Amino acid sequence: MYPRMNLWTDMKNRDEIGIALLGFGNVGSGTYEVIEENFTSIKEKVGVKIYVKKILVRDLNAGRRVKAPAELLTCNPEDIFKDPSVDIVAELLGGLEPATEYMIRALDSGKHVVSANKAALAANLPQLLDAVERSGRVLRYEAAVCGAIPVMDVIDRALAANKISGISGIVNGTTNYILTRMGEEAADYASVLADAQRLGFAEADPSGDVEGFDAANKLSLLIWQAFGKYIHPDKIARKGITELGLADIDAAALRGNKIKLIAQADDGPEGVEASVAPREVPADSFLGRCAGEYNAVQLDCDMAGPIFLMGKGAGPRPTGSAVVGDIISIARDMRSGV
Ligand code: HSE
């Protein structure tokens, strides 16, 4: 379900792995920081040096949160697809296109692909998996779902012995940050949303967060991972948080509850039922205690019972951590010639 190929014997004995970043916004720059700052410890763990070889940007001269050497920057994606020193392409662009086309180009050019782009992955997963099969390369996307939380890997590996029948969670950091600050400080919606944008939590167009589209994209990917069924995000019932006010949050608090944007899916005899909507949860429950930009996911497993995961769901470094985790996972397999 989470494709793993065994075509890496040609990579044995490599002591250096080349990465290209498509995009250098919040996630691209966070990924770059993780690779640079933890270069030595990653080298010790993986046994290879991981170098960023190229970074695709829209404008060579744009102001940036993180500085990278000018010679790494390019506006031409062909520089990356045709570069034999690039083994893994990290697609961190956001949006459906050209991100989907670039992921497919990268796979067809013999590169492994890591992506944080939940919108493109959820909307175009069937075509992307076709490209994986055709190319014999790997596509991993831990960073696309719940930021730093290793939920995709846990489902794929540690819980592989289980049938998973239910998923419920908080999968969008921006809305959780907004609802938390509205509840704790009676903060005004517009100013907290502006803070979420400044901190690098929100999407380029934050209506993707507050209208629930981002959560629906992530739920679609979780459904695929956990149930092995593909549901296009447009088919998921969706309601955002824009109609909620302080009065709703206060009324819930009087009942001992918090309002959270909950993504929920059940795999029952009638098929998959999935929704994203604001719901009241007990303040002292697992989901009620998930605050700020944190995300939380509960997985209902037939053998393991319920599994609870919580961690930072948004932000450059937490998301960069998941991107680099996927890069390391592929690099390890390349090294060991799995
Ligand atoms: N805008 C997203 C969120 C970023 O707030 O969860 C991480 O996917």
Side-chain angles (χ1 to χ4, degrees):
M1 186 190 318
Y2 203 35
R4 254 190 253 124
M5 300 294 161
N6 58 356
L7 296 178
W8 295 311
T9 40
D10 56 326
M11 309 309 288
K12 262 188 186 170
N13 305 323
R14 291 275 304 272
D15 64 357
E16 186 181 313
I17 297 220
I19 310 298
L21 306 180
L22 305 185
F24 205 48
N26 283 322
V27 181
S29 60
T31 299
Y32 185 81
E33 285 178 306
V34 173
I35 291 175
E36 289 293 301
E37 287 184 32
N38 285 353
F39 179 84
T40 306
S41 65
I42 291 171
K43 185 183 75 185
E44 279 161 11
K45 278 183 217 162
V46 188
V48 291
K49 290 170 240 159
I50 293 183
Y51 287 113
V52 175
K53 298 283 185 180
K54 291 213 162 58
I55 304 174
L56 182 71
V57 295
R58 254 191 234 114
D59 173 1
L60 293 177
N61 301 313
R64 299 185 203 287
R65 191 180 70 83
V66 171
K67 293 264 171 282
E71 64 270 20
L72 296 187
L73 305 183
T74 175
C75 293
N76 183 0
E78 296 306 320
D79 289 348
I80 289 169
F81 303 137
K82 294 195 173 134
D83 183 342
S85 75
V86 171
D87 302 296
I88 303 172
V89 170
E91 186 277 301
L92 314 169
L93 291 166
L96 299 189
E97 293 298 349
T100 305
E101 182 203 329
Y102 288 178
M103 282 193 268
I104 292 173
R105 284 291 314 280
L107 290 163
D108 285 339
S109 307
K111 319 292 187 197
H112 303 293
V113 172
V114 167
S115 176
N117 185 340
K118 50 268 159 136
L121 288 160
N124 297 319
L125 197 64
Q127 290 126 276
L128 288 162
L129 294 181
D130 282 349
V132 167
E133 197 161 333
R134 181 169 69 234
S135 64
R137 292 308 189 249
V138 172
L139 169 65
R140 294 184 67 91
Y141 43 89
E142 184 68 74
V145 182
C146 298
I149 305 176
V151 60
M152 306 301 261
D153 204 52
V154 164
I155 294 172
D156 186 46
R157 291 172 200 250
L159 296 176
N162 291 262
K163 286 193 202 98
I164 299 177
S165 57
I167 304 164
S168 59
I170 296 165
V171 300
N172 179 269
T174 299
T175 45
N176 205 39
Y177 177 81
I178 292 172
L179 293 173
T180 301
R181 286 199 49 203
M182 285 173 77
E184 287 177 359
E185 306 160 30
D188 150 71
Y189 173 86
S191 72
V192 210
L193 173 57
D195 283 347
Q197 290 177 287
R198 184 178 48 76
L199 293 165
F201 302 154
E203 298 301 295
D205 173 359
S207 63
D209 296 293
V210 297
E211 300 286 2
F213 291 103
D214 181 74
N217 290 333
K218 290 165 177 165
L219 187 57
S220 165
L221 295 174
L222 279 169
I223 289 169
W224 168 249
Q225 193 79 345
F227 305 159
K229 295 177 180 168
Y230 174 64
I231 310 274
H232 191 285
D234 287 352
K235 301 272 185 268
I236 293 176
R238 177 192 49 78
K239 188 171 190 312
I241 64 161
T242 48
E243 287 168 21
L244 289 175
L246 287 176
D248 302 300
I249 293 172
D250 289 346
L254 287 174
R255 292 187 281 270
N257 292 337
K258 293 207 166 146
I259 300 180
K260 299 287 181 185
L261 185 67
I262 302 293
Q264 199 164 302
D266 292 292
D267 190 13
E270 308 295 315
V272 176
E273 276 185 34
S275 65
V276 169
R279 294 184 197 280
E280 283 190 33
V281 294
D284 61 356
S285 63
F286 171 65
L287 296 179
R289 281 184 277 110
C290 176
E293 77 273 29
Y294 279 66
N295 284 185
V297 186
Q298 177 177 338
L299 302 167
D300 299 321
C301 307
D302 64 345
M303 297 297 156
I307 294 284
F308 302 89
L309 301 166
M310 193 187 290
K312 287 194 176 178
R317 285 175 176 231
T319 312
S321 157
V323 172
V324 179
D326 271 348
I327 289 171
I328 289 173
S329 178
I330 294 173
R332 277 188 168 137
D333 283 346
M334 287 167 73
R335 277 287 288 170
S336 60
V338 166

